[in-house]
Structures are given as structure tokens and as C-alpha cells.
Amino acid sequence: MATESEKTTPSNIPPEIIEIILSKLSSVKSLLRFKSVSKSWNSIISDPVFIQNHLQSSNNSPNNNIFVSSNTDGTDRGFPLVDFDVRKSDAGKISEDNIPNGYNSILCECNGVLLLGSRVEYALWNPSIRCEMFLIYKYEFHEDYIVDYGICYDQITGDFKVVFIFPTKYAIYSSNNNSLTKKNLGTNYHTIDGTGSGLGIFVDGATYWILSDDTISTHLVYFDPRTDEIKRMQKPEQRQSDDDKFQLMNIASLRGRLCLYFYNKKERIAQIWMKEKGIDKWKEFITFHNFEAPYKLSRPICLVENKVVIQ
């Protein structure tokens, strides 16, 4: 049995080693519990640099294959969590995660924070710590309809910004300031038929969408949290032309990299292009031949081991 002096003796493990061990934990819930172990552990886990590194490590993990259903099943007030097993090429339900009252859909996600929607309002929700933040009532937008939406995390200010895109305007909700700002787009934007809304992908410090304009041309657009502006980004040089036989179908985040999914329906060929981190440069990641896919509906969702999982 340990003596009283042994119980109070500080750990001989260097703090940097403890930080490395804690950073390897995949469960956010475990990290939150471990904050109560000691003041030094709480300081390590609460450090913004540690949080960002842990998020980056989770995004790049080869085992990042757990998904949450975007809608309830109509019987329980919750969202099924699903684990994809590459060995079985199958996905199985592992648990049901309850949500705050009144919300029935997950609209998008950013760093584990979810945008929830109901018939009348929106809220941000962190399921790991069961923290909910009411955003806004839908009628306060004074717009006909929402084209798309997304969440963007501003790493400089630590602010989760929710972006609502309308046909000619967009609104930015700042969770830090509890404020809503509207801006003009300068272009009439629409969703691409078949893809639906809520496809905003947060990756590499920005949130991205694929939208079409009045000429039915498709554009890769993104929200820059530093300027609060929505801008266009060039597609891969080989795929910039709308006359190209490959059509831009969807976007994805694969191990922390922005990816574009192109499909040639006539020749049954699909391609995934990956953006280099921090620069506007693309490289062809993989090409599928003899690939049948529902037109405008399929999209890559993760890499498991050396395989691409397409929904």
C-alpha cells in the first residue's frame, strides 16, 4: 500500500511525454474526464494548441470511420452512430446519441460541433460535452430560402462562425459575439441538382461548397473566416472547363485534405482530386474505371486503410 508521501509525490514522467500520451487518445470524452486528474493535466488538455493538434490528428487518422446519421429514424429522439468495418465492407449501428429537444436534423459539422435544425430555429451543439447554443429563428433571415449552410472555425479568434447562403446574399453568425451579419454575394447561386444542401466541408481553415450560377456553371466556393468573404477557388486545371466530359459532383474531406469528386457517366469513370495543404494546387488522387454510381448522388466519405469508401 502506498504511503501518504508516495501519494502526494509528483509524477516523474516529463510533461511533454504526458502530452504525447494524451494526444494519442481518440475519445474526446476521455480527455474531458482526465482534465480533473490534476491542474497540470487540465492545463495541457485545455491548451488551444493541444486542442488543434488533437483535432488534426483525428482528421488524419486512418481509423476515422465513425459516422452520424443526419436525421432521426422517427422513433427515438437521437441520431444513430455508425461504424464502417472495411473487412466486412459493411456499416453497423453502434449507439444512439440523444439531442436537445425540438431538433430533428443535423445540417453540417465542424470540428465535432454540429449545426442542428428544426422547423423554426437553428442551434450549435457539441455532443461530446452536451453543450447547446441557440442561434437564430428562421423567420429573422427575411429571405425566401437558404441555398446552403456550413460552419467555419476561425483558429485566430477561436470563433465558430455559421454561414447561411441565400440566392444573392449570405449571413454570418458569430458564436463569440452572438451576432448576425448579412453581406451581398454579387452572384446568384443555386444548389446542384441532386446534391442537396448542407454539404459545406470545413477543411484546412475554410469552409467549401459546390454551387451553380444562373448559367448552370458549377463553382467551387469557400468562406474565408479572416475576411468573412465568400470567394471562388479554381478547380484542377485539367477539370476547369464545364465542357469537360467529367462533371464535378461533390466535395469531401479525406484525412484532412479537401477533395473533389468528378464523374464521367458515359464512360463510367470516377476521379478524386486532392488539394495540397495550404496552397491552391491539386493532384489526381485516384481514378476508378467501370464504376457505376447514382448520378450526382455518390460521394467519397472516408479512407479506411488503403480503401476509399464511397456513399
Side-chain angles (χ1 to χ4, degrees):
M1 180 178 294
T3 65
E4 193 65 30
S5 61
E6 288 175 329
K7 290 180 182 178
T8 58
T9 300
S11 170
N12 292 324
I13 304 176
E16 57 269 22
I17 301 299
I18 294 177
E19 181 172 347
I20 292 173
I21 294 172
L22 291 174
S23 68
K24 300 297 182 182
L25 294 173
S26 59
S27 172
V28 175
K29 292 181 180 179
S30 295
L31 285 173
L32 293 173
R33 287 200 304 270
F34 291 155
K35 290 175 71 174
S36 62
V37 170
S38 67
K39 290 183 178 180
S40 61
W41 281 38
N42 179 57
S43 178
I44 291 172
I45 297 171
S46 301
D47 189 295
V49 175
F50 176 87
I51 294 171
Q52 285 303 309
N53 289 339
H54 187 268
L55 283 169
Q56 186 66 38
S57 176
S58 299
N59 288 336
N60 295 334
S61 170
N63 300 315
N64 194 3
N65 58 335
I66 295 179
F67 306 93
V68 59
S69 172
S70 60
N71 292 283
T72 62
D73 59 13
T75 57
D76 299 316
R77 188 174 58 82
F79 295 90
L81 292 174
V82 176
D83 184 13
F84 182 84
D85 189 339
V86 71
R87 293 178 295 276
K88 298 179 181 178
S89 295
D90 195 11
K93 182 175 174 180
I94 56 176
S95 70
E96 194 88 18
D97 210 352
N98 290 330
I99 62 169
N101 280 319
Y103 298 99
N104 55 11
S105 60
I106 296 174
L107 304 177
C108 52
E109 178 272 343
C110 172
N111 287 356
V113 174
L114 309 177
L115 177 64
L116 303 180
S118 70
R119 291 187 301 107
V120 295
E121 62 188 28
Y122 299 100
L124 286 176
W125 183 53
N126 186 333
S128 296
I129 58 177
R130 294 292 190 267
C131 179
E132 172 196 353
M133 178 181 182
F134 167 74
L135 290 183
I136 191 171
Y137 289 106
K138 293 183 178 181
Y139 65 78
E140 294 183 39
F141 285 132
H142 303 294
E143 298 289 341
D144 292 336
Y145 65 96
I146 295 176
V147 172
D148 220 322
Y149 26 67
I151 311 174
C152 190
Y153 178 69
D154 189 334
Q155 299 183 21
I156 297 176
T157 62
D159 191 6
F160 280 93
K161 298 180 177 180
V162 183
V163 183
F164 298 90
I165 301 178
F166 311 107
T168 61
K169 301 177 182 179
Y170 65 102
I172 309 156
Y173 186 94
S174 166
S175 59
N176 278 2
N177 303 325
N178 191 26
S179 63
L180 186 72
T181 305
K182 273 191 180 182
K183 293 190 173 186
N184 291 322
L185 277 170
T187 302
N188 287 1
Y189 279 128
H190 317 278
T191 55
I192 301 177
D193 291 341
T195 60
S197 298
L199 295 176
I201 298 289
F202 175 76
V203 59
D204 203 13
T207 300
Y208 298 82
W209 300 266
I210 299 174
L211 300 173
S212 64
D213 59 20
D214 287 341
T215 66
I216 318 301
S217 297
T218 58
H219 302 283
L220 175 63
V221 303
Y222 69 98
F223 174 76
D224 184 344
R226 291 169 294 277
T227 62
D228 282 353
E229 293 181 356
I230 289 183
K231 308 173 183 177
R232 288 186 186 179
M233 176 174 286
Q234 290 293 327
K235 302 176 224 175
E237 186 177 350
Q238 297 88 333
R239 297 287 170 261
Q240 283 188 19
S241 172
D242 287 323
D243 297 328
D244 189 87
K245 59 185 178 180
F246 284 91
Q247 296 297 311
L248 177 57
M249 297 292 100
N250 245 314
I251 53 177
S253 175
L254 301 180
R255 293 185 187 168
R257 300 289 185 91
L258 178 68
C259 292
L260 300 181
Y261 170 77
F262 293 86
Y263 187 55
N264 182 332
K265 185 178 181 181
K266 184 176 180 181
E267 299 181 16
R268 297 189 304 164
I269 300 175
Q271 287 185 341
I272 297 176
W273 289 74
M274 184 175 285
K275 179 181 172 293
E276 298 285 355
K277 242 183 178 353
I279 58 175
D280 298 346
K281 186 176 181 181
W282 299 89
K283 66 176 181 179
E284 186 179 339
F285 177 62
I286 194 169
T287 297
F288 306 95
H289 294 274
N290 299 317
F291 181 73
E292 289 284 357
Y295 198 50
K296 292 185 182 291
L297 291 179
S298 61
R299 67 186 178 103
I301 54 175
C302 71
L303 297 174
V304 181
E305 296 178 356
N306 63 341
K307 298 178 176 64
V308 179
V309 181
I310 295 182
Q311 181 183 23

